[in-house]
Amino acid sequence: MRSGLYLGGTSLPFVSSLRIFSPMKSFTTLEQRYIEEHLLPDQSRSSVDVQELADSLGRVTRGNGDPLPTAAADRIRTLQLVEDGPLLYSPGQMVIRSSEAVSEFHRGHTAQLANLLVPERFWEPHQRRTEESPGHQGPHFTRISTWGIPFSWFVLVTEADRTEVVESGGHILTVRIQVPLSIGIKRAEACIAMLEETAAELDLYDELDSVNHWLNDFHAESVLELDYGPVADRVYPDDSPMDVRLGLECLAEGDLTGAAAAYRRLATRWIPIRQRARAS
């Protein structure tokens, strides 16, 4: 696959991810078997990313019109923080994640459009696949965001955390920031406690509270990863984790001018990215 396609050169949405990688011992026997069956021979992180994108493009161009994935499209990402260290796993869970996305799509004002894009003749078999598919019984290992990264995600990481910059052909394919899950949870809880006292009305408070509940569903030895995806080529080097932290520190100290300045830096960086979602 050409790198330009992966980088969004065909006007694909920028997709960023917040992922959990867990040790094999945290999975059930059935889930462990499922993981082993879906690991690709000699796979790398980049090869899994590219194959997952190819799978999604293949589904929307199927001749029969069915855009929904089967278990065959499920990819397992792996992470090893240090040489000879334990291998950690992050199941893609495409079947269950697509099922919940379509369920949401079928509710409210988008229901009529959903019936056109995902006809009932495809939706009912997919619901059965979701119920029967092994390895999908636990919490979601991945949260995704299109056209930008939620500011709440930057609370969980710092510029000092382990960072991988993946480059090819003069472009940044992605940037991945990794931190032990326990540290991510401590950062989230500290920020939530501060916002409860100073600015519980902010959207950031509710967003971070939701993320924190999600983080606490996973094994204590897991690792949290912020994967910028193709948007990294537009924003990296990125000071967003620092700006979010400085903005929150200013807010805690009652320095509204400093907090506003940090927000302006974030807005200047991310609003142009988010406006692409509405570009024709």
Side-chain angles (χ1 to χ4, degrees):
M1 179 175 293
R2 292 183 297 109
S3 61
L5 181 61
Y6 179 68
L7 287 166
T10 56
S11 300
L12 294 170
F14 294 143
V15 178
S16 304
S17 303
L18 193 63
R19 294 194 184 93
I20 300 294
F21 289 82
S22 294
M24 185 64 88
K25 64 184 179 182
S26 68
F27 298 94
T28 66
T29 301
L30 185 61
E31 290 168 341
Q32 290 179 14
R33 188 181 307 122
Y34 186 87
I35 288 172
E36 291 167 353
E37 290 173 350
H38 284 78
L39 287 171
L40 299 175
D42 301 318
Q43 73 174 42
S44 66
R45 289 295 304 275
S46 293
S47 69
V48 172
D49 290 345
V50 171
Q51 187 58 56
E52 195 171 83
L53 176 58
D55 292 340
S56 66
L57 294 177
R59 287 193 295 273
V60 299
T61 57
R62 282 176 183 164
N64 66 359
D66 183 359
L68 296 169
T70 65
D74 205 1
R75 310 294 171 188
I76 311 295
R77 289 174 173 81
T78 60
L79 177 65
Q80 190 174 34
L81 293 181
V82 295
E83 188 175 356
D84 298 327
L87 201 60
L88 305 175
Y89 302 86
S90 182
Q93 301 172 301
M94 290 299 298
V95 173
I96 190 169
R97 286 169 52 209
S98 62
S99 178
E100 294 188 3
V102 174
S103 293
E104 181 68 24
F105 197 29
H106 273 81
R107 290 194 288 269
H109 65 279
T110 58
Q112 188 172 358
L113 178 59
N115 290 328
L116 293 174
L117 296 179
V118 188
E120 190 173 327
R121 68 181 184 279
F122 299 133
W123 176 226
E124 290 183 352
H126 187 73
Q127 288 177 303
R128 290 194 295 270
R129 288 198 297 268
T130 302
E131 295 168 358
E132 297 167 0
S133 180
H136 285 163
Q137 304 308 311
H140 291 192
F141 279 74
T142 304
R143 288 189 168 203
I144 66 169
S145 176
T146 55
W147 302 115
I149 297 176
F151 294 162
S152 59
W153 293 8
F154 291 122
V155 172
L156 310 174
V157 299
T158 74
E159 61 279 5
D161 292 330
R162 184 178 191 267
T163 301
E164 300 176 4
V165 180
V166 184
E167 300 179 80
S168 178
H171 292 282
I172 299 177
L173 300 184
T174 188
V175 172
R176 306 185 187 110
I177 305 176
Q178 294 137 1
V179 62
L181 178 64
S182 58
I183 293 178
I185 290 175
K186 286 180 181 178
R187 291 170 178 170
E189 290 177 345
C191 183
I192 289 169
M194 184 276 289
L195 289 174
E196 281 181 342
E197 295 183 0
T198 59
E201 72 280 1
L202 292 180
D203 291 341
L204 178 64
Y205 174 81
D206 292 331
E207 293 171 8
L208 196 56
D209 188 55
S210 173
V211 170
N212 189 50
H213 278 93
W214 173 67
L215 296 177
N216 278 279
D217 283 338
F218 295 94
H219 192 277
E221 296 175 21
S222 299
V223 169
L224 172 69
E225 176 184 85
L226 171 56
D227 186 343
Y228 275 64
V231 76
D233 198 47
R234 304 299 179 104
V235 300
Y236 199 80
D238 179 32
D239 291 329
S240 295
M242 181 187 300
D243 285 334
V244 168
R245 186 173 68 255
L246 291 176
L248 290 170
E249 289 175 356
C250 289
L251 197 61
E253 295 168 0
D255 179 6
L256 299 185
T257 300
Y263 178 78
R264 280 196 300 272
R265 292 193 296 271
L266 288 163
T268 299
R269 188 177 305 125
W270 289 102
I271 286 178
I273 300 294
R274 291 169 179 165
Q275 286 175 335
R276 289 174 173 268
R278 298 175 177 84
S280 59

